[in-house]
Short mmCIF file of all heavy atoms in Angstrom, two decimals:
data_model
loop_
_atom_site.label_atom_id
_atom_site.label_comp_id
_atom_site.label_asym_id
_atom_site.label_seq_id
_atom_site.Cartn_x
_atom_site.Cartn_y
_atom_site.Cartn_z
N ARG A 212 262.02 158.49 163.61
CA ARG A 212 261.26 158.27 164.84
C ARG A 212 260.69 159.58 165.35
O ARG A 212 261.15 160.67 164.97
CB ARG A 212 262.16 157.64 165.91
CG ARG A 212 262.63 156.23 165.53
CD ARG A 212 263.41 155.60 166.66
NE ARG A 212 262.59 155.44 167.85
CZ ARG A 212 263.05 154.94 169.01
NH1 ARG A 212 264.31 154.57 169.10
NH2 ARG A 212 262.26 154.83 170.04
N GLU A 213 259.71 159.45 166.19
CA GLU A 213 259.02 160.63 166.71
C GLU A 213 259.96 161.52 167.50
O GLU A 213 260.81 161.04 168.25
CB GLU A 213 257.88 160.16 167.63
CG GLU A 213 257.08 161.29 168.25
CD GLU A 213 256.05 160.76 169.22
OE1 GLU A 213 256.19 159.61 169.65
OE2 GLU A 213 255.11 161.50 169.54
N ARG A 214 259.81 162.82 167.31
CA ARG A 214 260.59 163.77 168.09
C ARG A 214 259.94 163.89 169.46
O ARG A 214 258.91 164.52 169.63
CB ARG A 214 260.62 165.13 167.39
CG ARG A 214 261.37 165.13 166.06
CD ARG A 214 261.26 166.47 165.38
NE ARG A 214 261.94 167.50 166.17
CZ ARG A 214 261.72 168.80 165.99
NH1 ARG A 214 260.85 169.21 165.10
NH2 ARG A 214 262.38 169.68 166.72
N LEU A 215 260.59 163.30 170.46
CA LEU A 215 259.99 163.24 171.79
C LEU A 215 259.76 164.62 172.37
O LEU A 215 258.79 164.85 173.07
CB LEU A 215 260.90 162.44 172.73
CG LEU A 215 261.14 160.97 172.36
CD1 LEU A 215 262.00 160.31 173.41
CD2 LEU A 215 259.82 160.22 172.21
N HIS A 216 260.64 165.57 172.05
CA HIS A 216 260.53 166.88 172.68
C HIS A 216 259.35 167.67 172.15
O HIS A 216 259.02 168.71 172.67
CB HIS A 216 261.83 167.66 172.49
CG HIS A 216 262.10 168.11 171.09
ND1 HIS A 216 262.39 167.24 170.06
CD2 HIS A 216 262.12 169.34 170.55
CE1 HIS A 216 262.60 167.92 168.96
NE2 HIS A 216 262.43 169.20 169.22
N ALA A 217 258.70 167.19 171.10
CA ALA A 217 257.54 167.90 170.57
C ALA A 217 256.26 167.51 171.29
O ALA A 217 255.21 168.09 171.04
CB ALA A 217 257.39 167.63 169.08
N ARG A 218 256.36 166.55 172.19
CA ARG A 218 255.17 166.08 172.89
C ARG A 218 255.25 166.42 174.38
O ARG A 218 256.04 165.85 175.13
CB ARG A 218 255.01 164.57 172.74
CG ARG A 218 254.53 164.11 171.39
CD ARG A 218 254.27 162.63 171.40
NE ARG A 218 253.41 162.24 172.53
CZ ARG A 218 253.20 160.96 172.88
NH1 ARG A 218 253.79 159.99 172.22
NH2 ARG A 218 252.41 160.68 173.89
N LEU A 219 254.45 167.38 174.80
CA LEU A 219 254.45 167.78 176.21
C LEU A 219 253.88 166.69 177.10
O LEU A 219 254.14 166.67 178.31
CB LEU A 219 253.63 169.07 176.37
CG LEU A 219 254.21 170.32 175.73
CD1 LEU A 219 253.25 171.48 175.88
CD2 LEU A 219 255.57 170.66 176.31
N ASP A 220 253.05 165.80 176.52
CA ASP A 220 252.41 164.77 177.33
C ASP A 220 253.18 163.45 177.32
O ASP A 220 252.67 162.42 177.74
CB ASP A 220 250.98 164.53 176.85
CG ASP A 220 250.92 164.03 175.40
OD1 ASP A 220 251.96 164.15 174.70
OD2 ASP A 220 249.86 163.55 174.99
N HIS A 221 254.42 163.47 176.82
CA HIS A 221 255.18 162.23 176.81
C HIS A 221 255.48 161.81 178.24
O HIS A 221 255.89 162.62 179.07
CB HIS A 221 256.49 162.41 176.04
CG HIS A 221 257.13 161.11 175.66
ND1 HIS A 221 257.76 160.31 176.57
CD2 HIS A 221 257.18 160.45 174.48
CE1 HIS A 221 258.21 159.22 175.97
NE2 HIS A 221 257.86 159.29 174.70
N PRO A 222 255.28 160.52 178.57
CA PRO A 222 255.46 160.08 179.97
C PRO A 222 256.86 160.31 180.52
O PRO A 222 257.03 160.54 181.72
CB PRO A 222 255.11 158.59 179.92
CG PRO A 222 255.11 158.21 178.47
CD PRO A 222 254.77 159.45 177.71
N GLU A 223 257.89 160.25 179.67
CA GLU A 223 259.25 160.52 180.15
C GLU A 223 259.36 161.95 180.69
O GLU A 223 259.92 162.19 181.75
CB GLU A 223 260.27 160.31 179.03
CG GLU A 223 260.51 158.85 178.68
CD GLU A 223 261.57 158.71 177.62
OE1 GLU A 223 262.01 159.75 177.08
OE2 GLU A 223 261.97 157.57 177.34
N TRP A 224 258.82 162.90 179.92
CA TRP A 224 258.88 164.29 180.36
C TRP A 224 257.99 164.52 181.56
O TRP A 224 258.38 165.21 182.51
CB TRP A 224 258.49 165.23 179.23
CG TRP A 224 258.36 166.67 179.69
CD1 TRP A 224 257.25 167.43 179.72
CD2 TRP A 224 259.40 167.47 180.25
NE1 TRP A 224 257.51 168.67 180.24
CE2 TRP A 224 258.83 168.73 180.57
CE3 TRP A 224 260.76 167.26 180.49
CZ2 TRP A 224 259.58 169.76 181.13
CZ3 TRP A 224 261.50 168.30 181.06
CH2 TRP A 224 260.92 169.53 181.38
N GLN A 225 256.82 163.97 181.56
CA GLN A 225 255.91 164.15 182.70
C GLN A 225 256.55 163.65 183.98
O GLN A 225 256.39 164.24 185.05
CB GLN A 225 254.60 163.42 182.44
CG GLN A 225 253.74 164.06 181.36
CD GLN A 225 252.45 163.30 181.11
OE1 GLN A 225 252.40 162.08 181.20
NE2 GLN A 225 251.39 164.04 180.79
N HIS A 226 257.31 162.56 183.88
CA HIS A 226 257.95 161.97 185.05
C HIS A 226 259.01 162.90 185.63
O HIS A 226 258.99 163.23 186.83
CB HIS A 226 258.57 160.63 184.67
CG HIS A 226 259.36 159.98 185.76
ND1 HIS A 226 258.77 159.31 186.80
CD2 HIS A 226 260.71 159.93 185.99
CE1 HIS A 226 259.71 158.86 187.63
NE2 HIS A 226 260.88 159.23 187.15
N VAL A 227 259.97 163.35 184.79
CA VAL A 227 261.04 164.19 185.31
C VAL A 227 260.52 165.57 185.71
O VAL A 227 261.02 166.18 186.67
CB VAL A 227 262.20 164.32 184.30
CG1 VAL A 227 262.88 162.98 184.09
CG2 VAL A 227 261.74 164.89 182.98
N GLU A 228 259.51 166.06 184.99
CA GLU A 228 258.93 167.36 185.33
C GLU A 228 258.27 167.30 186.71
O GLU A 228 258.40 168.23 187.52
CB GLU A 228 257.91 167.78 184.28
CG GLU A 228 257.28 169.14 184.56
CD GLU A 228 256.18 169.48 183.57
OE1 GLU A 228 255.45 168.56 183.16
OE2 GLU A 228 256.05 170.67 183.21
N ALA A 229 257.55 166.21 186.98
CA ALA A 229 256.89 166.06 188.28
C ALA A 229 257.91 166.02 189.41
O ALA A 229 257.71 166.63 190.47
CB ALA A 229 256.02 164.81 188.28
N LEU A 230 259.01 165.30 189.19
CA LEU A 230 260.05 165.23 190.22
C LEU A 230 260.69 166.60 190.44
O LEU A 230 260.86 167.05 191.58
CB LEU A 230 261.11 164.21 189.82
CG LEU A 230 260.69 162.74 189.80
CD1 LEU A 230 261.84 161.88 189.29
CD2 LEU A 230 260.25 162.28 191.19
N ALA A 231 261.05 167.28 189.36
CA ALA A 231 261.72 168.58 189.47
C ALA A 231 260.83 169.63 190.10
O ALA A 231 261.32 170.55 190.77
CB ALA A 231 262.19 169.03 188.09
N SER A 232 259.52 169.51 189.91
CA SER A 232 258.58 170.49 190.45
C SER A 232 258.52 170.46 191.97
O SER A 232 257.98 171.39 192.59
CB SER A 232 257.19 170.27 189.87
OG SER A 232 257.19 170.50 188.46
N THR A 233 259.06 169.42 192.58
CA THR A 233 259.04 169.33 194.04
C THR A 233 260.16 170.14 194.69
O THR A 233 260.17 170.30 195.91
CB THR A 233 259.17 167.86 194.49
OG1 THR A 233 260.45 167.34 194.10
CG2 THR A 233 258.07 167.00 193.88
N MET A 234 261.09 170.65 193.88
CA MET A 234 262.20 171.40 194.45
C MET A 234 261.74 172.80 194.87
O MET A 234 261.18 173.55 194.08
CB MET A 234 263.33 171.53 193.40
CG MET A 234 264.56 172.29 193.88
SD MET A 234 265.39 171.51 195.29
CE MET A 234 265.93 169.96 194.54
N GLY A 235 261.96 173.12 196.13
CA GLY A 235 261.51 174.40 196.66
C GLY A 235 262.52 175.51 196.48
O GLY A 235 263.72 175.26 196.35
N ALA A 236 262.04 176.74 196.49
CA ALA A 236 262.91 177.90 196.36
C ALA A 236 263.91 177.97 197.51
O ALA A 236 265.06 178.39 197.33
CB ALA A 236 262.08 179.17 196.30
N ASP A 237 263.48 177.54 198.70
CA ASP A 237 264.38 177.60 199.85
C ASP A 237 265.55 176.63 199.70
O ASP A 237 266.67 176.92 200.12
CB ASP A 237 263.61 177.30 201.14
CG ASP A 237 262.88 175.97 201.10
OD1 ASP A 237 262.61 175.46 199.99
OD2 ASP A 237 262.56 175.42 202.17
N GLU A 238 265.31 175.47 199.07
CA GLU A 238 266.40 174.52 198.84
C GLU A 238 267.38 175.04 197.80
O GLU A 238 268.60 174.91 197.96
CB GLU A 238 265.82 173.18 198.37
CG GLU A 238 264.97 172.45 199.39
CD GLU A 238 264.33 171.22 198.80
OE1 GLU A 238 263.31 171.35 198.09
OE2 GLU A 238 264.85 170.10 199.04
N LEU A 239 266.84 175.63 196.74
CA LEU A 239 267.70 176.15 195.69
C LEU A 239 268.63 177.22 196.22
O LEU A 239 269.79 177.34 195.78
CB LEU A 239 266.84 176.72 194.55
CG LEU A 239 266.06 175.71 193.71
CD1 LEU A 239 265.08 176.42 192.80
CD2 LEU A 239 267.03 174.85 192.89
N ALA A 240 268.15 178.04 197.16
CA ALA A 240 268.94 179.15 197.68
C ALA A 240 269.64 178.83 199.00
O ALA A 240 270.16 179.74 199.65
CB ALA A 240 268.04 180.37 197.85
N ASP A 241 269.68 177.56 199.37
CA ASP A 241 270.34 177.14 200.62
C ASP A 241 271.79 176.80 200.34
O ASP A 241 272.10 175.75 199.76
CB ASP A 241 269.61 175.93 201.21
CG ASP A 241 270.13 175.56 202.59
OD1 ASP A 241 271.24 176.00 202.96
OD2 ASP A 241 269.42 174.82 203.31
N ALA A 242 272.72 177.68 200.74
CA ALA A 242 274.14 177.49 200.44
C ALA A 242 274.72 176.25 201.12
O ALA A 242 275.79 175.77 200.74
CB ALA A 242 274.93 178.72 200.86
N GLY A 243 274.03 175.74 202.12
CA GLY A 243 274.53 174.57 202.83
C GLY A 243 274.26 173.25 202.13
O GLY A 243 274.76 172.20 202.56
N ILE A 244 273.47 173.29 201.05
CA ILE A 244 273.18 172.07 200.30
C ILE A 244 274.00 172.07 199.03
O ILE A 244 273.78 172.91 198.15
CB ILE A 244 271.68 171.98 199.94
CG1 ILE A 244 270.81 172.09 201.19
CG2 ILE A 244 271.39 170.66 199.21
CD1 ILE A 244 269.32 172.14 200.88
N PRO A 245 274.97 171.17 198.88
CA PRO A 245 275.74 171.12 197.64
C PRO A 245 274.82 170.92 196.43
O PRO A 245 273.80 170.25 196.51
CB PRO A 245 276.66 169.91 197.85
CG PRO A 245 276.78 169.77 199.33
CD PRO A 245 275.44 170.18 199.87
N LEU A 246 275.20 171.52 195.32
CA LEU A 246 274.38 171.42 194.12
C LEU A 246 274.18 169.98 193.68
O LEU A 246 273.10 169.59 193.22
CB LEU A 246 275.02 172.24 192.99
CG LEU A 246 275.10 173.75 193.22
CD1 LEU A 246 275.80 174.43 192.05
CD2 LEU A 246 273.71 174.36 193.42
N GLU A 247 275.24 169.18 193.81
CA GLU A 247 275.11 167.77 193.44
C GLU A 247 274.06 167.07 194.29
O GLU A 247 273.36 166.17 193.82
CB GLU A 247 276.46 167.06 193.59
CG GLU A 247 277.50 167.46 192.55
CD GLU A 247 278.25 168.73 192.92
OE1 GLU A 247 277.90 169.39 193.91
OE2 GLU A 247 279.20 169.06 192.18
N ASN A 248 273.93 167.48 195.54
CA ASN A 248 272.93 166.87 196.43
C ASN A 248 271.51 167.23 196.01
O ASN A 248 270.58 166.44 196.20
CB ASN A 248 273.18 167.30 197.88
CG ASN A 248 274.38 166.62 198.49
OD1 ASN A 248 275.21 166.06 197.77
ND2 ASN A 248 274.49 166.66 199.81
N LEU A 249 271.33 168.44 195.45
CA LEU A 249 270.01 168.80 194.93
C LEU A 249 269.59 167.85 193.81
O LEU A 249 268.44 167.40 193.76
CB LEU A 249 270.02 170.24 194.42
CG LEU A 249 270.18 171.36 195.44
CD1 LEU A 249 270.15 172.71 194.74
CD2 LEU A 249 269.08 171.31 196.50
N VAL A 250 270.54 167.57 192.92
CA VAL A 250 270.26 166.63 191.83
C VAL A 250 269.93 165.25 192.39
O VAL A 250 268.99 164.59 191.95
CB VAL A 250 271.46 166.56 190.85
CG1 VAL A 250 271.18 165.56 189.73
CG2 VAL A 250 271.78 167.93 190.28
N TRP A 251 270.69 164.83 193.38
CA TRP A 251 270.47 163.52 194.00
C TRP A 251 269.10 163.45 194.67
O TRP A 251 268.40 162.43 194.57
CB TRP A 251 271.57 163.24 195.00
CG TRP A 251 271.38 161.96 195.78
CD1 TRP A 251 271.03 161.83 197.09
CD2 TRP A 251 271.51 160.63 195.28
NE1 TRP A 251 270.94 160.51 197.44
CE2 TRP A 251 271.23 159.75 196.34
CE3 TRP A 251 271.85 160.10 194.03
CZ2 TRP A 251 271.27 158.36 196.20
CZ3 TRP A 251 271.89 158.72 193.89
CH2 TRP A 251 271.60 157.87 194.96
N ARG A 252 268.70 164.50 195.35
CA ARG A 252 267.39 164.51 196.02
C ARG A 252 266.25 164.30 195.02
O ARG A 252 265.27 163.62 195.32
CB ARG A 252 267.18 165.84 196.74
CG ARG A 252 268.00 166.02 198.01
CD ARG A 252 267.61 167.32 198.70
NE ARG A 252 268.39 167.52 199.91
CZ ARG A 252 268.17 168.50 200.78
NH1 ARG A 252 267.19 169.37 200.56
NH2 ARG A 252 268.92 168.63 201.86
N LEU A 253 266.40 164.90 193.84
CA LEU A 253 265.33 164.82 192.85
C LEU A 253 265.29 163.49 192.11
O LEU A 253 264.22 162.93 191.86
CB LEU A 253 265.48 165.96 191.84
CG LEU A 253 265.23 167.37 192.34
CD1 LEU A 253 265.55 168.39 191.25
CD2 LEU A 253 263.78 167.54 192.80
N PHE A 254 266.46 162.98 191.75
CA PHE A 254 266.50 161.89 190.78
C PHE A 254 267.24 160.65 191.29
O PHE A 254 267.76 159.87 190.50
CB PHE A 254 267.15 162.38 189.48
CG PHE A 254 266.49 163.60 188.91
CD1 PHE A 254 267.17 164.81 188.85
CD2 PHE A 254 265.18 163.55 188.44
CE1 PHE A 254 266.56 165.94 188.33
CE2 PHE A 254 264.56 164.68 187.93
CZ PHE A 254 265.26 165.87 187.86
N ASN A 255 267.26 160.44 192.60
CA ASN A 255 268.04 159.33 193.15
C ASN A 255 267.47 157.96 192.80
O ASN A 255 268.16 156.94 192.91
CB ASN A 255 268.18 159.46 194.67
CG ASN A 255 266.84 159.39 195.38
OD1 ASN A 255 266.31 158.31 195.66
ND2 ASN A 255 266.26 160.56 195.66
N GLU A 256 266.21 157.90 192.35
CA GLU A 256 265.63 156.61 191.99
C GLU A 256 265.81 156.27 190.51
O GLU A 256 265.41 155.19 190.07
CB GLU A 256 264.14 156.59 192.35
CG GLU A 256 263.90 156.67 193.85
CD GLU A 256 262.43 156.52 194.20
OE1 GLU A 256 261.61 156.35 193.28
OE2 GLU A 256 262.10 156.56 195.40
N GLU A 257 266.40 157.19 189.74
CA GLU A 257 266.67 156.90 188.33
C GLU A 257 267.83 155.91 188.21
O GLU A 257 268.73 155.88 189.05
CB GLU A 257 267.00 158.18 187.57
CG GLU A 257 265.88 159.21 187.57
CD GLU A 257 264.61 158.66 186.94
OE1 GLU A 257 264.70 158.03 185.87
OE2 GLU A 257 263.53 158.86 187.52
N SER A 258 267.81 155.12 187.14
CA SER A 258 268.85 154.11 186.97
C SER A 258 270.23 154.73 186.73
O SER A 258 271.25 154.15 187.10
CB SER A 258 268.49 153.18 185.80
OG SER A 258 268.36 153.92 184.59
N GLU A 259 270.26 155.90 186.12
CA GLU A 259 271.54 156.56 185.87
C GLU A 259 271.34 158.07 185.77
O GLU A 259 270.45 158.54 185.06
CB GLU A 259 272.17 156.07 184.56
CG GLU A 259 273.53 156.69 184.28
CD GLU A 259 274.11 156.24 182.95
OE1 GLU A 259 273.37 155.65 182.14
OE2 GLU A 259 275.32 156.49 182.72
N VAL A 260 272.17 158.80 186.51
CA VAL A 260 272.25 160.25 186.39
C VAL A 260 273.72 160.60 186.23
O VAL A 260 274.55 160.24 187.06
CB VAL A 260 271.67 160.97 187.64
CG1 VAL A 260 271.82 162.47 187.49
CG2 VAL A 260 270.22 160.59 187.85
N ARG A 261 274.04 161.29 185.15
CA ARG A 261 275.42 161.64 184.87
C ARG A 261 275.67 163.11 185.21
O ARG A 261 275.01 164.00 184.67
CB ARG A 261 275.75 161.42 183.39
CG ARG A 261 275.60 159.98 182.93
CD ARG A 261 275.83 159.87 181.43
NE ARG A 261 275.56 158.52 180.95
CZ ARG A 261 275.53 158.18 179.66
NH1 ARG A 261 275.75 159.11 178.73
NH2 ARG A 261 275.27 156.93 179.30
N LEU A 262 276.63 163.33 186.11
CA LEU A 262 277.01 164.70 186.43
C LEU A 262 278.04 165.20 185.44
O LEU A 262 278.96 164.47 185.06
CB LEU A 262 277.60 164.76 187.85
CG LEU A 262 276.60 164.64 189.00
CD1 LEU A 262 277.35 164.57 190.32
CD2 LEU A 262 275.64 165.81 189.01
N LEU A 263 277.89 166.43 185.01
CA LEU A 263 278.83 167.05 184.09
C LEU A 263 279.75 167.99 184.86
O LEU A 263 279.49 168.34 186.01
CB LEU A 263 278.06 167.84 183.02
CG LEU A 263 276.95 167.07 182.28
CD1 LEU A 263 276.23 167.98 181.31
CD2 LEU A 263 277.52 165.85 181.57
N SER A 264 280.84 168.37 184.24
CA SER A 264 281.78 169.27 184.92
C SER A 264 281.11 170.59 185.25
O SER A 264 280.31 171.12 184.47
CB SER A 264 283.01 169.52 184.04
OG SER A 264 282.63 170.06 182.79
N GLY A 265 281.43 171.13 186.41
CA GLY A 265 280.83 172.37 186.86
C GLY A 265 281.54 173.59 186.30
O GLY A 265 282.64 173.51 185.74
#
Side-chain angles (χ1 to χ4, degrees):
R212 295 185 62 182
E213 180 184 18
R214 294 175 65 197
L215 298 182
H216 70 292
R218 285 186 51 190
L219 293 176
D220 62 345
H221 196 286
E223 287 183 353
W224 172 244
Q225 290 179 326
H226 175 78
V227 294
E228 181 185 36
L230 292 176
S232 296
T233 64
M234 181 61 65
D237 56 338
E238 295 174 281
L239 290 170
D241 187 343
I244 305 175
L246 296 178
E247 290 83 353
N248 286 17
L249 292 180
V250 179
W251 175 252
R252 287 184 181 187
L253 292 174
F254 305 114
N255 63 84
E256 294 186 0
E257 299 300 315
S258 59
E259 182 183 13
V260 178
R261 299 175 185 172
L262 286 174
L263 308 177
S264 57

